[in-house]
Amino acid sequence: MAHSSFESRRSALQLTAGLGLYAALARPSRAATPDLTREEFAGRAWSENLSQADATLRYLAYYAHQLRRPYAPPRLAALPDQAVVKAFDDLLLIVFHTADQDVARHLLQVHEVLLQRGLAMPAQLQRSYDACYSSRLFAPAAQLAQRFPGQLEVSPLIHVAADAGIGVPTLIRLVSGRRELYATRYVMPLRPTVIMIGDPGCHFSRAATDALTRDAALMRRFDGTLQLLAPHALRLRFDDYAEWNAQHPALPMAIAYHWRGWPMLDVRSTPVFYFFNDGKVRHVAAGWRDDTAKDGLIAGLAAIGL
């Protein structure tokens, strides 16, 4: 898991510059990348098997190069209806992969034009809300819910601690019996720690958890160090997480508040086990085809001295 000096510098820039980084990337992207449709670009980005951080930079560079100016609010009025609908879909793809607040605001502007023209569909209204909520623009999300009462699937309120947020490792935790969420900063222990990226809707995450809970000896080796972490997603499926935690009280699942706070992890694939010691990743075990995957966990535990 070693990083070159360039990669470390890029990660630092990503965390500090945050949402403005795509502007710096626009010029090299324009020189190196021909104009691509949304489908062509998405297919290329997928085929390159990029890390989450690198994929996000690529999507934001694509936005800066091909979408931001053509779909700028002053130009939207002159676009035909079909082009405005396409603008919404193009920007939604970027939000889906980046949870970028600037792009989410841009998406809202496009949705407003669709509303003014009488073209907005219920699915677009829901996606606009989800884009705000997932990028942690809670005020615009609440305004949409108030403006369109009864027309949205509204996600629970997230209480964010003062020291938590987008740029630091932050967990969203569920409180049993309450439809409220609490986001708190996660401080990586120096002692051996294991983080499992999982999802309630992932068959393989369920298989991995069931195998662990059936193996008392292996669970003892984890020694209470295992933290389950669900990916940051466009839609927060509260009921799925509540059901999971009710069924797995010994292995409750928290949710990543924002992927930017977890640069040491890739929170897109499930299940993946990250083994930490002294705050550094020492081993990664990905996937769960069957119980032979336990070998990867045993190797990971040995790598961190458990």
Side-chain angles (χ1 to χ4, degrees):
M1 299 297 291
H3 295 280
S4 69
S5 59
F6 172 76
E7 290 172 329
S8 299
R9 180 174 178 269
R10 179 181 55 201
S11 297
L13 284 172
Q14 181 185 2
L15 290 174
T16 56
L19 304 177
L21 192 56
Y22 60 74
L25 293 171
R27 188 175 296 112
S29 173
R30 183 175 293 112
T33 304
D35 289 347
L36 301 172
T37 67
R38 179 180 73 249
E39 293 79 11
E40 289 170 339
F41 172 76
R44 178 175 295 187
W46 178 264
S47 68
E48 290 175 348
N49 195 29
L50 300 170
S51 69
Q52 186 164 16
D54 287 341
T56 296
L57 297 180
R58 185 69 58 83
Y59 276 98
L60 291 178
Y62 177 76
Y63 167 73
H65 172 34
Q66 287 191 215
L67 306 180
R68 183 175 54 180
R69 187 176 179 185
Y71 296 151
R75 299 185 175 210
L76 288 173
L79 292 179
D81 292 350
Q82 187 176 3
V84 179
V85 173
K86 182 179 182 298
F88 185 91
D89 292 339
D90 287 350
L91 295 179
L92 181 62
L93 174 75
I94 307 301
V95 176
F96 179 86
H97 286 282
T98 69
D100 185 280
Q101 291 187 337
D102 283 354
V103 185
R105 291 188 183 97
H106 194 170
L107 183 75
L108 283 181
Q109 293 170 328
V110 174
H111 183 251
E112 190 62 33
V113 174
L114 291 174
L115 287 169
Q116 292 169 1
R117 297 189 185 187
L119 299 172
M121 303 296 289
Q124 292 164 327
L125 174 60
Q126 183 66 56
R127 291 293 180 263
S128 296
Y129 173 87
D130 293 340
C132 291
Y133 188 89
S134 67
S135 62
R136 309 316 178 201
L137 292 172
F138 296 126
Q143 290 166 4
L144 282 175
Q146 294 169 2
R147 186 177 172 187
F148 300 96
Q151 299 182 46
L152 288 167
E153 183 179 329
V154 178
S155 298
L157 176 67
I158 302 178
H159 302 277
V160 185
D163 62 344
I166 291 176
V168 296
T170 298
L171 295 175
I172 300 176
R173 300 187 186 276
L174 285 69
V175 178
S176 179
R178 297 169 62 179
R179 196 175 176 82
E180 289 184 315
L181 299 169
Y182 292 82
T184 57
R185 184 166 183 170
Y186 179 79
V187 179
M188 180 66 67
L190 294 180
R191 62 178 173 79
T193 302
V194 184
I195 295 180
M196 170 188 164
I197 309 301
D199 186 270
C202 171
H203 165 77
F204 300 103
S205 295
R206 290 186 173 276
T209 306
D210 290 343
L212 285 175
T213 54
R214 291 194 306 266
D215 193 330
L218 185 56
M219 284 296 290
R220 284 195 295 271
R221 285 194 63 179
F222 277 95
D223 192 28
T225 65
L226 181 59
Q227 169 66 62
L228 271 61
L229 181 64
H232 175 201
L234 186 67
R235 174 72 66 86
L236 194 155
R237 305 182 311 278
F238 177 87
D239 292 341
D240 291 349
Y241 298 115
E243 179 183 358
W244 174 283
N245 287 356
Q247 293 177 351
H248 302 88
L251 290 173
M253 187 174 290
I255 306 163
Y257 180 78
H258 199 288
W259 75 266
R260 287 184 185 275
W262 300 89
M264 72 294 285
L265 308 176
D266 189 322
V267 295
R268 297 173 298 177
S269 300
T270 58
V272 182
F273 293 80
Y274 291 86
F275 295 81
F276 291 84
N277 199 3
D278 291 329
K280 298 180 180 179
V281 177
R282 306 297 183 181
H283 184 82
V284 179
W288 195 275
R289 187 176 295 273
D290 53 42
D291 279 9
T292 60
K294 288 182 183 179
D295 294 342
L297 304 188
I298 293 170
L301 290 169
I304 60 175
L306 289 178

